[in-house]
Amino acid sequence: MKKIFNFLVSFLLVVVSTTSVFGETVNGHIYYHGDTTLPVGNVVVKLKNLDNNSTVSYTTLADGFYEFNNVIPGNYKLSAETAM
């Protein structure tokens, strides 16, 4: 089962997809103003539990891609930060 979520973080568009396997995979891309031809690299993406404790972070690649593997099913917040 695949779910697609869109989060607007400041002026960045974060596209998230989750796939259920033997744990959850949360991955996606960060694009400047939602333009898929303008991926944003070096963005720190954090996956946090609902208490705002950072569980894991990932720095996007040049193509804006990030991925979190083996995420325990639950409720999380996704945030993105850049020095741009």
Side-chain angles (χ1 to χ4, degrees):
M1 181 161 119
K2 195 166 188 176
K3 305 172 194 170
I4 302 291
F5 302 95
N6 290 323
F7 296 89
L8 188 59
V9 180
S10 199
F11 55 85
L12 302 174
L13 178 68
V14 180
V15 179
V16 181
S17 62
T18 62
T19 306
S20 182
V21 187
F22 290 104
E24 297 291 320
T25 297
V26 177
N27 59 35
H29 289 84
I30 297 190
Y31 302 111
Y32 185 73
H33 287 284
D35 185 341
T36 59
T37 64
L38 297 172
V40 183
N42 296 316
V43 174
V44 177
V45 180
K46 293 182 181 179
L47 189 64
K48 301 177 185 180
N49 64 17
L50 293 183
D51 294 330
N52 280 330
N53 297 320
S54 181
T55 57
V56 66
S57 64
Y58 188 96
T59 302
T60 60
L61 304 174
D63 64 356
F65 181 78
Y66 63 89
E67 181 172 59
F68 301 104
N69 292 307
N70 299 318
V71 177
I72 297 169
N75 296 309
Y76 295 87
K77 293 179 183 179
L78 189 69
S79 65
E81 219 176 278
T82 181
M84 263 178 45

PDB file of all heavy atoms in Angstrom, residues 2-15:
ATOM      1  N   LYS A   2       0.643   2.171  -0.855  1.00  0.00           N
ATOM      2  CA  LYS A   2       1.465   3.370  -0.967  1.00  0.00           C
ATOM      3  C   LYS A   2       0.613   4.594  -0.705  1.00  0.00           C
ATOM      4  O   LYS A   2      -0.487   4.711  -1.207  1.00  0.00           O
ATOM      5  CB  LYS A   2       2.080   3.437  -2.354  1.00  0.00           C
ATOM      6  CG  LYS A   2       3.195   4.412  -2.455  1.00  0.00           C
ATOM      7  CD  LYS A   2       3.976   4.204  -3.724  1.00  0.00           C
ATOM      8  CE  LYS A   2       5.192   5.075  -3.664  1.00  0.00           C
ATOM      9  NZ  LYS A   2       6.056   4.902  -4.781  1.00  0.00           N
ATOM     10  N   LYS A   3       1.131   5.491   0.117  1.00  0.00           N
ATOM     11  CA  LYS A   3       0.429   6.728   0.444  1.00  0.00           C
ATOM     12  C   LYS A   3       1.294   7.893   0.009  1.00  0.00           C
ATOM     13  O   LYS A   3       2.496   7.850   0.145  1.00  0.00           O
ATOM     14  CB  LYS A   3       0.191   6.831   1.947  1.00  0.00           C
ATOM     15  CG  LYS A   3      -0.535   5.663   2.545  1.00  0.00           C
ATOM     16  CD  LYS A   3      -0.527   5.793   4.047  1.00  0.00           C
ATOM     17  CE  LYS A   3      -0.944   4.486   4.678  1.00  0.00           C
ATOM     18  NZ  LYS A   3      -0.737   4.451   6.106  1.00  0.00           N
ATOM     19  N   ILE A   4       0.688   8.925  -0.492  1.00  0.00           N
ATOM     20  CA  ILE A   4       1.413  10.126  -0.886  1.00  0.00           C
ATOM     21  C   ILE A   4       0.895  11.285  -0.036  1.00  0.00           C
ATOM     22  O   ILE A   4      -0.294  11.508   0.064  1.00  0.00           O
ATOM     23  CB  ILE A   4       1.207  10.463  -2.376  1.00  0.00           C
ATOM     24  CG1 ILE A   4       1.643   9.293  -3.254  1.00  0.00           C
ATOM     25  CG2 ILE A   4       1.944  11.728  -2.754  1.00  0.00           C
ATOM     26  CD1 ILE A   4       3.116   9.025  -3.274  1.00  0.00           C
ATOM     27  N   PHE A   5       1.809  12.015   0.571  1.00  0.00           N
ATOM     28  CA  PHE A   5       1.480  13.176   1.389  1.00  0.00           C
ATOM     29  C   PHE A   5       2.268  14.362   0.873  1.00  0.00           C
ATOM     30  O   PHE A   5       3.398  14.216   0.440  1.00  0.00           O
ATOM     31  CB  PHE A   5       1.876  12.960   2.853  1.00  0.00           C
ATOM     32  CG  PHE A   5       1.238  11.774   3.483  1.00  0.00           C
ATOM     33  CD1 PHE A   5       1.897  10.566   3.514  1.00  0.00           C
ATOM     34  CD2 PHE A   5      -0.027  11.861   4.032  1.00  0.00           C
ATOM     35  CE1 PHE A   5       1.317   9.460   4.094  1.00  0.00           C
ATOM     36  CE2 PHE A   5      -0.613  10.759   4.617  1.00  0.00           C
ATOM     37  CZ  PHE A   5       0.053   9.555   4.651  1.00  0.00           C
ATOM     38  N   ASN A   6       1.707  15.521   0.919  1.00  0.00           N
ATOM     39  CA  ASN A   6       2.434  16.744   0.558  1.00  0.00           C
ATOM     40  C   ASN A   6       2.476  17.653   1.768  1.00  0.00           C
ATOM     41  O   ASN A   6       1.471  17.901   2.405  1.00  0.00           O
ATOM     42  CB  ASN A   6       1.741  17.485  -0.590  1.00  0.00           C
ATOM     43  CG  ASN A   6       1.868  16.733  -1.887  1.00  0.00           C
ATOM     44  OD1 ASN A   6       2.891  16.133  -2.148  1.00  0.00           O
ATOM     45  ND2 ASN A   6       0.836  16.762  -2.690  1.00  0.00           N
ATOM     46  N   PHE A   7       3.644  18.154   2.093  1.00  0.00           N
ATOM     47  CA  PHE A   7       3.830  19.095   3.184  1.00  0.00           C
ATOM     48  C   PHE A   7       4.456  20.345   2.603  1.00  0.00           C
ATOM     49  O   PHE A   7       5.390  20.269   1.836  1.00  0.00           O
ATOM     50  CB  PHE A   7       4.793  18.533   4.240  1.00  0.00           C
ATOM     51  CG  PHE A   7       4.298  17.311   4.925  1.00  0.00           C
ATOM     52  CD1 PHE A   7       4.572  16.056   4.407  1.00  0.00           C
ATOM     53  CD2 PHE A   7       3.562  17.398   6.085  1.00  0.00           C
ATOM     54  CE1 PHE A   7       4.124  14.917   5.040  1.00  0.00           C
ATOM     55  CE2 PHE A   7       3.121  16.274   6.730  1.00  0.00           C
ATOM     56  CZ  PHE A   7       3.395  15.025   6.202  1.00  0.00           C
ATOM     57  N   LEU A   8       3.958  21.499   2.978  1.00  0.00           N
ATOM     58  CA  LEU A   8       4.580  22.744   2.561  1.00  0.00           C
ATOM     59  C   LEU A   8       5.413  23.232   3.736  1.00  0.00           C
ATOM     60  O   LEU A   8       4.898  23.529   4.790  1.00  0.00           O
ATOM     61  CB  LEU A   8       3.522  23.785   2.191  1.00  0.00           C
ATOM     62  CG  LEU A   8       4.073  25.057   1.565  1.00  0.00           C
ATOM     63  CD1 LEU A   8       4.843  24.729   0.295  1.00  0.00           C
ATOM     64  CD2 LEU A   8       2.957  26.014   1.248  1.00  0.00           C
ATOM     65  N   VAL A   9       6.714  23.264   3.560  1.00  0.00           N
ATOM     66  CA  VAL A   9       7.625  23.679   4.616  1.00  0.00           C
ATOM     67  C   VAL A   9       8.277  24.956   4.148  1.00  0.00           C
ATOM     68  O   VAL A   9       9.109  24.938   3.249  1.00  0.00           O
ATOM     69  CB  VAL A   9       8.693  22.595   4.876  1.00  0.00           C
ATOM     70  CG1 VAL A   9       9.642  23.038   5.974  1.00  0.00           C
ATOM     71  CG2 VAL A   9       8.032  21.282   5.238  1.00  0.00           C
ATOM     72  N   SER A  10       7.873  26.057   4.749  1.00  0.00           N
ATOM     73  CA  SER A  10       8.377  27.363   4.348  1.00  0.00           C
ATOM     74  C   SER A  10       8.097  27.511   2.857  1.00  0.00           C
ATOM     75  O   SER A  10       6.970  27.472   2.434  1.00  0.00           O
ATOM     76  CB  SER A  10       9.856  27.458   4.689  1.00  0.00           C
ATOM     77  OG  SER A  10      10.277  28.783   4.733  1.00  0.00           O
ATOM     78  N   PHE A  11       9.121  27.653   2.030  1.00  0.00           N
ATOM     79  CA  PHE A  11       8.900  27.785   0.595  1.00  0.00           C
ATOM     80  C   PHE A  11       9.308  26.517  -0.143  1.00  0.00           C
ATOM     81  O   PHE A  11       9.432  26.492  -1.344  1.00  0.00           O
ATOM     82  CB  PHE A  11       9.680  28.981   0.035  1.00  0.00           C
ATOM     83  CG  PHE A  11      11.144  28.934   0.351  1.00  0.00           C
ATOM     84  CD1 PHE A  11      12.009  28.237  -0.442  1.00  0.00           C
ATOM     85  CD2 PHE A  11      11.633  29.578   1.472  1.00  0.00           C
ATOM     86  CE1 PHE A  11      13.353  28.178  -0.145  1.00  0.00           C
ATOM     87  CE2 PHE A  11      12.977  29.525   1.776  1.00  0.00           C
ATOM     88  CZ  PHE A  11      13.840  28.824   0.967  1.00  0.00           C
ATOM     89  N   LEU A  12       9.541  25.452   0.595  1.00  0.00           N
ATOM     90  CA  LEU A  12       9.939  24.188  -0.014  1.00  0.00           C
ATOM     91  C   LEU A  12       8.746  23.254  -0.063  1.00  0.00           C
ATOM     92  O   LEU A  12       7.937  23.221   0.851  1.00  0.00           O
ATOM     93  CB  LEU A  12      11.049  23.520   0.806  1.00  0.00           C
ATOM     94  CG  LEU A  12      12.320  24.323   1.014  1.00  0.00           C
ATOM     95  CD1 LEU A  12      13.235  23.575   1.967  1.00  0.00           C
ATOM     96  CD2 LEU A  12      13.014  24.568  -0.302  1.00  0.00           C
ATOM     97  N   LEU A  13       8.645  22.474  -1.109  1.00  0.00           N
ATOM     98  CA  LEU A  13       7.605  21.470  -1.193  1.00  0.00           C
ATOM     99  C   LEU A  13       8.240  20.128  -0.890  1.00  0.00           C
ATOM    100  O   LEU A  13       9.223  19.749  -1.509  1.00  0.00           O
ATOM    101  CB  LEU A  13       6.976  21.435  -2.586  1.00  0.00           C
ATOM    102  CG  LEU A  13       5.905  20.367  -2.771  1.00  0.00           C
ATOM    103  CD1 LEU A  13       4.681  20.714  -1.926  1.00  0.00           C
ATOM    104  CD2 LEU A  13       5.525  20.243  -4.216  1.00  0.00           C
ATOM    105  N   VAL A  14       7.693  19.438   0.071  1.00  0.00           N
ATOM    106  CA  VAL A  14       8.189  18.129   0.450  1.00  0.00           C
ATOM    107  C   VAL A  14       7.175  17.099  -0.016  1.00  0.00           C
ATOM    108  O   VAL A  14       6.015  17.167   0.355  1.00  0.00           O
ATOM    109  CB  VAL A  14       8.361  18.034   1.983  1.00  0.00           C
ATOM    110  CG1 VAL A  14       8.882  16.677   2.375  1.00  0.00           C
ATOM    111  CG2 VAL A  14       9.264  19.142   2.491  1.00  0.00           C
ATOM    112  N   VAL A  15       7.600  16.172  -0.826  1.00  0.00           N
ATOM    113  CA  VAL A  15       6.724  15.104  -1.288  1.00  0.00           C
ATOM    114  C   VAL A  15       7.146  13.841  -0.561  1.00  0.00           C
ATOM    115  O   VAL A  15       8.295  13.443  -0.619  1.00  0.00           O
ATOM    116  CB  VAL A  15       6.837  14.903  -2.813  1.00  0.00           C
ATOM    117  CG1 VAL A  15       5.944  13.767  -3.261  1.00  0.00           C
ATOM    118  CG2 VAL A  15       6.475  16.188  -3.539  1.00  0.00           C
TER     119      VAL A  15
END
